[in-house]
Amino acid sequence: MPSIEVKSSVPTDRAPCRGFDYDGGVGRWASILALGLSACASSVPRTVPRIVDGEIERGPPVAPYAYEWFIEGERLAVQGRHDDAAIAFETATAAPTGDVLLVTRLAEEYELSGATRRADRALSSARRSYPSSARVALAEGRIRRSRGQADEALAAFIRATRRAPTWSEPLVAMAHALAARGHFERASTILLEYLEIAPKEGAQAARRALVDLARRTDDPVTLARALAFEPGATPAAASREGARLALAGGRPALAARLVEGALDTEDNIALWLDALAQSGAHQEATRFLVSPRAARWATVEDRAHALLDLHEEERTLELLAAAARSPRVQHARGRAFLEAGKYLEAAATLAGVPLGTSPYETSRVALAECAASQGRRGAAAETLSATPHASLPVRRALAALYVDAGDLRAGLRLFDPKDQRERAALASIFERAGRYEEAAAYYASVRITASGEPRLRARASAEQLASRGLYPGAIEVLERWTAHAPSDLHSRVRLVELLQKAGREEEASSHGKSLVEIIDDPRLRAHLRGLLRTSETGAR
């Protein structure tokens, strides 16, 4: 065990210090070590300097006997054995140490074990012995809050912060108390103001609390600011995390604003372009993709595919006109012709992508789509049948052709329902076939991952909530998704159905009637009309 220098001194008031992380963090064990270090002193002066949670404070020396029971009490508290922990702290305080840390921990463990009267007596004793101690005020606040006395708890936390303005624990406790009462903005402000003046090394608890609060309230701006206080954090990393939270929360315009000032990494640029696309700012994204700056960030093929995702077919063809010939460039040109409705040029270009190259399979899928768009479904099926079926996109395209031809079973045989990666494909196949209940069941069985496509994440999340009867949550997810993807008609019709199940018939009817005229798929239109008839019957 390392040692610290112990010096004699006259009795003085102890300086405020950082407290425990009572959720089981490292702060507790730092405090335990501090007590042990004090116990190692060869002489026993009235006060000694010691380290608690990484900061030096002055206090009475702790005997080895009390130190050992203090460790035992903390160990039991971590395990949730608060009755036994209280007994251990009682034994520790039996030694004539007069230490406020021991007394306040005893009071808190009494409270957690249900011995409220003993907790009050221990707290009163600590208040009499240490009337100006921030640690006593913090313990009182925690005890009051555990009893549901929110106003009294908040007042105690305020006293603790006034007695120790640079100590983070009372501020964190006060922020938690404010957030519990719904005052999220005030809680965030308190933590931000503290982090502005606190040294980064001693503000870990406040940073963690602010990050948790920002994620809980879906506040990407506060999250980015909180992460910027991390030691070694870069503005690019902080902006990226804030933008990701905004994008996941259905606020792509905010995500784009957060990350646009930190376009110095490939991840941030890709995130920014995604946010621009989802927010409808296609022109800004297009200007960037055709600029020399974008050429330093990505290959011409990657830029071409990004332009195609923005439906900028002509700009894509202009970009690729000067590019060196390669299979990837040829595939991108074929896709651009296909998206522009130039089927003959698309077919000629895509058919020339050689076997064995990376874009071969996706080119065959696009070639089949080209044939199907011209009404040549047999040629499309033949193209895909001659392509190796290991690729999921090839099988999805072939299954779609089978479904359109009325052979659902043949399409389903291409997938393994036990494979997590293929359940999403099965859901879309059932959806295409008009089997909407089966589609919902498969979407609900999909494991949601951060790397999944946004539509799949939204549908899977909504169906999982709906399968448990949590219709308000499912509706919120789909409302957020369809607001940014209005072309996803299947999700919009599913939203009508969920609104009905939640008893919101008027909203369901209004939303459904606005969709009837824009749906071309006969199966989906028939399903929507059936839902609307149900709404009208229920209204009567």
Side-chain angles (χ1 to χ4, degrees):
M1 178 182 294
S3 62
I4 64 171
E5 183 181 0
V6 180
K7 300 179 180 178
S8 299
S9 67
V10 297
T12 60
D13 290 337
R14 294 173 54 197
C17 60
R18 297 183 63 213
F20 288 122
D21 176 1
Y22 290 120
D23 294 327
V26 295
R28 168 180 300 170
W29 301 109
S31 298
I32 293 171
L33 285 174
L35 291 169
L37 296 179
S38 298
C40 293
S42 57
S43 60
V44 186
R46 298 185 67 180
T47 63
V48 295
R50 60 187 186 176
I51 300 174
V52 177
D53 288 351
E55 294 185 5
I56 298 177
E57 68 169 29
R58 308 195 72 84
V62 178
Y65 173 81
Y67 166 59
E68 291 170 2
W69 280 106
F70 184 91
I71 290 179
E72 180 66 10
E74 289 293 353
R75 185 184 68 80
L76 293 168
V78 169
Q79 297 174 2
R81 298 165 58 186
H82 298 294
D83 289 325
D84 296 334
I87 293 172
F89 283 121
E90 281 180 349
T91 308
T93 55
T97 60
D99 191 278
V100 65
L101 187 59
L102 291 176
V103 179
T104 53
R105 285 296 292 122
L106 174 61
E108 290 175 345
E109 288 304 316
Y110 274 147
E111 180 68 21
L112 292 171
S113 65
T116 56
R117 291 187 178 180
R118 291 187 177 184
D120 288 337
R121 285 197 295 269
L123 194 60
S124 297
S125 174
R127 198 182 296 115
R128 287 193 301 270
S129 301
Y130 311 98
S132 60
S133 171
R135 197 181 293 280
V136 173
L138 176 61
E140 181 181 356
R142 286 171 171 159
I143 289 172
R144 298 297 182 196
R145 188 181 174 196
S146 72
R147 296 176 184 178
Q149 300 170 355
D151 292 336
E152 293 84 347
L154 198 56
F157 293 142
I158 291 172
R159 286 197 300 274
T161 58
R162 288 174 178 170
R163 294 172 184 176
T166 60
W167 187 22
S168 68
E169 290 301 322
L171 282 161
V172 171
M174 183 162 59
H176 284 316
L178 287 167
R181 302 179 72 178
H183 303 309
F184 301 113
E185 186 175 348
R186 180 58 183 153
S188 298
T189 301
I190 287 172
L191 293 170
L192 280 169
E193 289 176 351
Y194 172 76
L195 290 170
E196 291 285 354
I197 61 172
K200 288 187 176 182
E201 305 78 38
Q204 181 179 354
R207 283 196 305 272
R208 185 171 62 243
L210 186 58
V211 168
D212 290 345
L213 183 60
R215 293 191 184 280
R216 175 184 169 189
T217 56
D218 287 332
D219 187 347
V221 176
T222 299
L223 178 62
R225 293 184 65 185
L227 293 173
F229 289 110
E230 291 284 350
T234 63
S239 298
R240 181 168 60 249
E241 291 305 312
R244 283 175 176 166
L245 181 62
L247 206 57
R251 288 178 281 178
L254 176 59
R257 288 199 302 273
L258 283 172
V259 80
E260 67 183 353
L263 300 179
D264 52 358
T265 67
E266 290 187 11
D267 287 343
N268 281 17
I269 291 173
L271 184 62
W272 178 64
L273 289 172
D274 189 16
L276 289 176
Q278 290 192 36
S279 65
H282 291 184
Q283 290 186 352
E284 187 176 355
T286 300
R287 283 196 300 271
F288 175 81
L289 288 167
V290 298
S291 69
R293 183 181 178 189
R296 297 192 296 270
W297 161 70
T299 64
V300 66
E301 297 92 343
D302 290 335
R303 291 157 59 202
H305 287 298
L307 283 169
L308 287 174
D309 290 339
L310 297 172
H311 307 291
E312 293 287 346
E313 294 84 11
E314 294 301 327
R315 300 297 293 272
T316 303
L317 292 170
E318 292 173 8
L319 179 68
L320 294 173
R325 186 179 178 84
S326 72
R328 291 190 65 202
V329 168
Q330 196 166 352
H331 169 245
R333 290 184 73 242
R335 267 197 64 197
F337 283 129
L338 176 60
E339 296 292 337
K342 299 178 180 179
Y343 299 120
L344 293 179
E345 294 92 332
T349 305
L350 293 167
V353 176
L355 176 66
T357 58
S358 58
Y360 174 73
E361 287 188 349
T362 52
S363 295
R364 304 305 285 181
V365 172
L367 183 58
E369 185 180 346
C370 183
S373 299
Q374 295 176 288
R376 300 169 58 215
R377 297 192 180 278
E382 184 178 351
T383 298
L384 292 172
S385 298
T387 305
H389 287 179
S391 167
L392 184 58
V394 170
R395 284 181 286 143
R396 291 183 72 154
L398 186 57
L401 289 173
Y402 284 140
V403 169
D404 291 344
D407 193 352
L408 175 60
R409 288 180 179 274
L412 296 177
R413 282 197 295 268
L414 296 172
F415 305 98
D416 180 5
K418 296 180 181 179
D419 190 332
Q420 275 284 340
R421 296 170 299 177
E422 302 194 3
R423 289 181 183 174
L426 284 165
S428 65
I429 293 301
F430 275 117
E431 205 166 46
R432 190 181 187 99
R435 304 273 289 273
Y436 300 109
E437 290 186 8
E438 291 95 328
Y442 270 102
Y443 276 125
S445 70
V446 172
R447 183 181 296 119
I448 302 172
T449 63
S451 59
E453 60 174 305
R455 181 188 185 276
L456 178 58
R457 290 203 307 267
R459 285 302 306 269
S461 177
E463 297 303 346
Q464 288 170 11
L465 290 167
S467 67
R468 301 197 298 272
L470 303 174
Y471 298 121
I475 289 169
E476 183 181 353
V477 170
L478 284 187
E479 283 180 335
R480 196 162 52 205
W481 164 246
T482 55
H484 299 287
S487 60
D488 185 0
L489 298 178
H490 281 98
S491 293
R492 293 178 67 179
V493 172
R494 179 58 172 161
L495 177 58
V496 172
E497 191 171 2
L498 292 176
L499 286 168
Q500 285 185 344
K501 291 185 177 182
R504 295 158 62 175
E505 297 288 348
E506 187 175 342
E507 291 179 65
S509 178
S510 174
H511 190 67
K513 288 176 180 177
S514 68
L515 290 174
V516 172
E517 300 303 324
I518 63 174
I519 295 178
D520 294 328
D521 182 350
R523 297 187 184 96
L524 186 60
R525 187 167 57 246
H527 178 58
L528 176 59
R529 284 177 171 163
L531 294 175
L532 291 176
R533 283 194 296 272
T534 302
S535 287
E536 292 170 0
T537 303
R540 295 196 195 100

